[in-house]
Amino acid sequence: MSTFRFAVAAVVLSLASLAAAAQDKVVYHVNDTQSQALATLRNIRNHLDTDPTAQITVVTHAFGVDFLLEGMKDRNETSFDATVAALKNRGVKFEVCEITLKNRNLKREQFIPEADFTPSGVVRLTRLQLQGHAYIKP
């Protein structure tokens, strides 16, 4: 009987550790600041409010990088940087496509400190999805 109890306890512990290890992994795709940035930031805040352990990466390219530029403001004239900084403090990664930098003649120094860079936004999106990240494009 003690062997059976031990086996049941081992199964229960294994299932509990699997549940604890399960963590949302999500990539948000932004390629147009004007139509996507506010919704993306709001969705991420709501996501983290519901699941604070979620692993979230925002991949930007084309005109989606603009909200990460120094001094950029939304349509209400509110700066994006405070919201981005608050989300970065909650573990969110913000990545800017370096191909976009080249194509739009932008420099890394033009971006807020919370921005990280990736060689290709599209390649990064693909790799994150292959690693099990859910894909969201607001």
mmCIF file of all heavy atoms in Angstrom, residues 44 48 52 54-58 84-94:
data_model
loop_
_atom_site.group_PDB
_atom_site.id
_atom_site.type_symbol
_atom_site.label_atom_id
_atom_site.label_comp_id
_atom_site.label_asym_id
_atom_site.label_seq_id
_atom_site.Cartn_x
_atom_site.Cartn_y
_atom_site.Cartn_z
ATOM 1 N N ILE A 44 -1.169 44.383 -23.659
ATOM 2 C CA ILE A 44 -0.078 43.831 -22.848
ATOM 3 C C ILE A 44 -0.318 44.114 -21.368
ATOM 4 O O ILE A 44 -0.133 43.236 -20.525
ATOM 5 C CB ILE A 44 1.284 44.383 -23.312
ATOM 6 C CG1 ILE A 44 1.605 43.856 -24.711
ATOM 7 C CG2 ILE A 44 2.387 44.016 -22.320
ATOM 8 C CD1 ILE A 44 2.791 44.525 -25.368
ATOM 9 N N LEU A 48 -0.744 41.173 -18.593
ATOM 10 C CA LEU A 48 0.057 41.038 -17.372
ATOM 11 C C LEU A 48 -0.770 41.203 -16.104
ATOM 12 O O LEU A 48 -0.447 40.594 -15.078
ATOM 13 C CB LEU A 48 1.205 42.043 -17.389
ATOM 14 C CG LEU A 48 2.306 41.757 -18.413
ATOM 15 C CD1 LEU A 48 3.276 42.916 -18.476
ATOM 16 C CD2 LEU A 48 3.019 40.454 -18.102
ATOM 17 N N PRO A 52 0.541 37.756 -14.461
ATOM 18 C CA PRO A 52 1.804 38.481 -14.250
ATOM 19 C C PRO A 52 3.064 37.688 -14.622
ATOM 20 O O PRO A 52 4.134 38.264 -14.755
ATOM 21 C CB PRO A 52 1.802 38.788 -12.754
ATOM 22 C CG PRO A 52 0.423 38.535 -12.274
ATOM 23 C CD PRO A 52 -0.222 37.603 -13.233
ATOM 24 N N ALA A 54 3.442 35.976 -17.440
ATOM 25 C CA ALA A 54 3.566 35.827 -18.893
ATOM 26 C C ALA A 54 4.895 36.391 -19.384
ATOM 27 O O ALA A 54 5.366 37.424 -18.912
ATOM 28 C CB ALA A 54 2.412 36.535 -19.592
ATOM 29 N N GLN A 55 5.477 35.696 -20.330
ATOM 30 C CA GLN A 55 6.723 36.120 -20.976
ATOM 31 C C GLN A 55 6.321 36.783 -22.292
ATOM 32 O O GLN A 55 5.852 36.108 -23.216
ATOM 33 C CB GLN A 55 7.613 34.909 -21.219
ATOM 34 C CG GLN A 55 8.913 35.208 -21.878
ATOM 35 C CD GLN A 55 9.685 33.934 -22.190
ATOM 36 O OE1 GLN A 55 9.319 32.826 -21.819
ATOM 37 N NE2 GLN A 55 10.785 34.091 -22.897
ATOM 38 N N ILE A 56 6.502 38.110 -22.387
ATOM 39 C CA ILE A 56 6.006 38.863 -23.534
ATOM 40 C C ILE A 56 7.146 39.585 -24.246
ATOM 41 O O ILE A 56 7.955 40.269 -23.620
ATOM 42 C CB ILE A 56 4.932 39.875 -23.102
ATOM 43 C CG1 ILE A 56 3.732 39.132 -22.509
ATOM 44 C CG2 ILE A 56 4.502 40.756 -24.273
ATOM 45 C CD1 ILE A 56 2.651 40.033 -21.937
ATOM 46 N N THR A 57 7.168 39.418 -25.565
ATOM 47 C CA THR A 57 8.105 40.131 -26.419
ATOM 48 C C THR A 57 7.300 40.889 -27.463
ATOM 49 O O THR A 57 6.363 40.344 -28.041
ATOM 50 C CB THR A 57 9.063 39.144 -27.133
ATOM 51 O OG1 THR A 57 9.758 38.375 -26.147
ATOM 52 C CG2 THR A 57 10.073 39.890 -28.004
ATOM 53 N N VAL A 58 7.661 42.144 -27.681
ATOM 54 C CA VAL A 58 7.046 42.957 -28.725
ATOM 55 C C VAL A 58 8.082 43.112 -29.827
ATOM 56 O O VAL A 58 9.175 43.614 -29.581
ATOM 57 C CB VAL A 58 6.629 44.346 -28.196
ATOM 58 C CG1 VAL A 58 6.002 45.173 -29.309
ATOM 59 C CG2 VAL A 58 5.686 44.208 -27.007
ATOM 60 N N VAL A 84 5.829 52.381 -21.961
ATOM 61 C CA VAL A 84 6.803 51.364 -22.366
ATOM 62 C C VAL A 84 7.737 51.048 -21.198
ATOM 63 O O VAL A 84 8.012 49.878 -20.911
ATOM 64 C CB VAL A 84 7.591 51.814 -23.616
ATOM 65 C CG1 VAL A 84 8.746 50.862 -23.915
ATOM 66 C CG2 VAL A 84 6.657 51.920 -24.817
ATOM 67 N N ALA A 85 8.209 52.058 -20.498
ATOM 68 C CA ALA A 85 9.111 51.836 -19.354
ATOM 69 C C ALA A 85 8.424 51.011 -18.270
ATOM 70 O O ALA A 85 9.039 50.105 -17.694
ATOM 71 C CB ALA A 85 9.592 53.174 -18.791
ATOM 72 N N ALA A 86 7.165 51.314 -17.992
ATOM 73 C CA ALA A 86 6.420 50.559 -16.967
ATOM 74 C C ALA A 86 6.278 49.088 -17.366
ATOM 75 O O ALA A 86 6.445 48.193 -16.530
ATOM 76 C CB ALA A 86 5.053 51.190 -16.743
ATOM 77 N N LEU A 87 6.013 48.842 -18.635
ATOM 78 C CA LEU A 87 5.887 47.455 -19.105
ATOM 79 C C LEU A 87 7.238 46.759 -19.121
ATOM 80 O O LEU A 87 7.335 45.571 -18.799
ATOM 81 C CB LEU A 87 5.226 47.415 -20.480
ATOM 82 C CG LEU A 87 3.754 47.821 -20.496
ATOM 83 C CD1 LEU A 87 3.233 47.911 -21.930
ATOM 84 C CD2 LEU A 87 2.906 46.859 -19.669
ATOM 85 N N LYS A 88 8.272 47.471 -19.483
ATOM 86 C CA LYS A 88 9.630 46.898 -19.456
ATOM 87 C C LYS A 88 9.981 46.477 -18.026
ATOM 88 O O LYS A 88 10.568 45.417 -17.807
ATOM 89 C CB LYS A 88 10.643 47.919 -19.995
ATOM 90 C CG LYS A 88 12.071 47.439 -20.010
ATOM 91 C CD LYS A 88 12.412 46.703 -21.265
ATOM 92 C CE LYS A 88 13.902 46.451 -21.340
ATOM 93 N NZ LYS A 88 14.317 45.972 -22.631
ATOM 94 N N ASN A 89 9.584 47.302 -17.045
ATOM 95 C CA ASN A 89 9.812 46.962 -15.634
ATOM 96 C C ASN A 89 9.055 45.720 -15.207
ATOM 97 O O ASN A 89 9.410 45.090 -14.212
ATOM 98 C CB ASN A 89 9.458 48.139 -14.732
ATOM 99 C CG ASN A 89 10.488 49.240 -14.803
ATOM 100 O OD1 ASN A 89 11.647 49.012 -15.135
ATOM 101 N ND2 ASN A 89 10.064 50.457 -14.507
ATOM 102 N N ARG A 90 8.021 45.369 -15.955
ATOM 103 C CA ARG A 90 7.243 44.159 -15.674
ATOM 104 C C ARG A 90 7.745 42.970 -16.494
ATOM 105 O O ARG A 90 7.136 41.907 -16.496
ATOM 106 C CB ARG A 90 5.760 44.414 -15.946
ATOM 107 C CG ARG A 90 5.175 45.443 -14.982
ATOM 108 C CD ARG A 90 3.725 45.741 -15.278
ATOM 109 N NE ARG A 90 2.867 44.634 -14.831
ATOM 110 C CZ ARG A 90 1.537 44.642 -14.961
ATOM 111 N NH1 ARG A 90 0.923 45.679 -15.509
ATOM 112 N NH2 ARG A 90 0.829 43.604 -14.549
ATOM 113 N N GLY A 91 8.871 43.153 -17.196
ATOM 114 C CA GLY A 91 9.505 42.042 -17.907
ATOM 115 C C GLY A 91 9.266 41.984 -19.400
ATOM 116 O O GLY A 91 9.756 41.072 -20.070
ATOM 117 N N VAL A 92 8.524 42.929 -19.959
ATOM 118 C CA VAL A 92 8.245 42.922 -21.392
ATOM 119 C C VAL A 92 9.492 43.357 -22.159
ATOM 120 O O VAL A 92 10.180 44.296 -21.760
ATOM 121 C CB VAL A 92 7.057 43.852 -21.731
ATOM 122 C CG1 VAL A 92 6.802 43.892 -23.236
ATOM 123 C CG2 VAL A 92 5.806 43.415 -20.971
ATOM 124 N N LYS A 93 9.771 42.666 -23.259
ATOM 125 C CA LYS A 93 10.887 43.019 -24.132
ATOM 126 C C LYS A 93 10.335 43.729 -25.359
ATOM 127 O O LYS A 93 9.354 43.284 -25.946
ATOM 128 C CB LYS A 93 11.637 41.766 -24.569
ATOM 129 C CG LYS A 93 12.277 41.014 -23.430
ATOM 130 C CD LYS A 93 12.915 39.741 -23.937
ATOM 131 C CE LYS A 93 13.415 38.909 -22.773
ATOM 132 N NZ LYS A 93 13.832 37.568 -23.218
ATOM 133 N N PHE A 94 10.986 44.818 -25.744
ATOM 134 C CA PHE A 94 10.613 45.581 -26.929
ATOM 135 C C PHE A 94 11.772 45.516 -27.920
ATOM 136 O O PHE A 94 12.867 45.985 -27.614
ATOM 137 C CB PHE A 94 10.311 47.035 -26.562
ATOM 138 C CG PHE A 94 9.064 47.189 -25.735
ATOM 139 C CD1 PHE A 94 9.113 47.103 -24.354
ATOM 140 C CD2 PHE A 94 7.844 47.407 -26.356
ATOM 141 C CE1 PHE A 94 7.966 47.229 -23.597
ATOM 142 C CE2 PHE A 94 6.677 47.544 -25.601
ATOM 143 C CZ PHE A 94 6.743 47.458 -24.222
#
